[in-house]
Amino acid sequence: MAKIKFTFEDKSLEDRVIEGFELGQSILDIAEDNDIHLNHNCGCVCACSTCQVYVKKGDEFLPEISDREEDFIDRAIAPTLESRLGCQCIINDENAELEVEIPDQDQIIGHEH
Ligand code: FES
């Protein structure tokens, strides 16, 4: 069963482990379904960088990063080599095990859809 551990840059939030979600969803979808706040200003069409996450473990279970995704990551706040856009990271492997850090959402000018 696929599993994601969410950790948070905002240390006032507690880590969450989510499993048993449907495959074919993005990290953003899974976060939202579980009341984990992650901005997504462009509505998930890879045209912003507000859904940036840091994939600490398990990036081998994610689709390859596209040039377009890379371009938008370059415009994100504090991008690192672990940065991905949550809306572009679809999980399709039932054995996937990921650890994903959610950046501090207070630093992002955004709104929820
Ligand atoms: S929501 Fe805009 S790129 Fe993910």
Side-chain angles (χ1 to χ4, degrees):
M1 192 190 305
K3 180 165 141 180
I4 305 184
K5 178 179 182 181
F6 286 101
T7 64
F8 299 91
E9 199 171 69
D10 175 354
K11 293 300 172 207
S12 69
L13 299 172
E14 285 191 18
D15 296 354
R16 299 267 312 273
V17 176
I18 311 292
E19 47 194 334
F21 49 82
E22 252 178 65
L23 297 178
Q25 298 189 89
S26 69
I27 289 176
L28 171 67
D29 294 330
I30 295 162
E32 281 219 294
D33 283 353
N34 289 282
D35 296 322
I36 294 169
H37 175 50
L38 180 58
N39 280 291
H40 45 283
N41 288 7
C42 78
C44 310
V45 295
C46 199
C48 73
S49 54
T50 57
C51 67
Q52 177 188 214
V53 295
Y54 301 120
V55 178
K56 301 286 183 184
K57 284 184 200 156
D59 66 333
E60 67 271 27
F61 297 109
L62 297 175
E64 289 229 341
I65 193 162
S66 66
D67 290 345
R68 186 177 168 90
E69 184 180 348
E70 251 176 52
D71 279 355
F72 279 99
I73 286 172
D74 284 345
R75 301 177 213 180
I77 296 173
T80 74
L81 290 174
E82 296 171 332
S83 295
R84 293 293 304 259
L85 297 179
C87 72
Q88 301 300 302
C89 293
I90 309 288
I91 298 176
N92 270 320
D93 186 331
E94 64 178 23
N95 298 313
E97 277 199 29
L98 291 99
E99 186 175 321
V100 173
E101 185 179 60
I102 306 284
D104 184 354
Q105 298 295 293
D106 287 347
Q107 293 183 20
I108 296 164
I109 300 168
H111 55 273
E112 294 176 52
H113 287 270

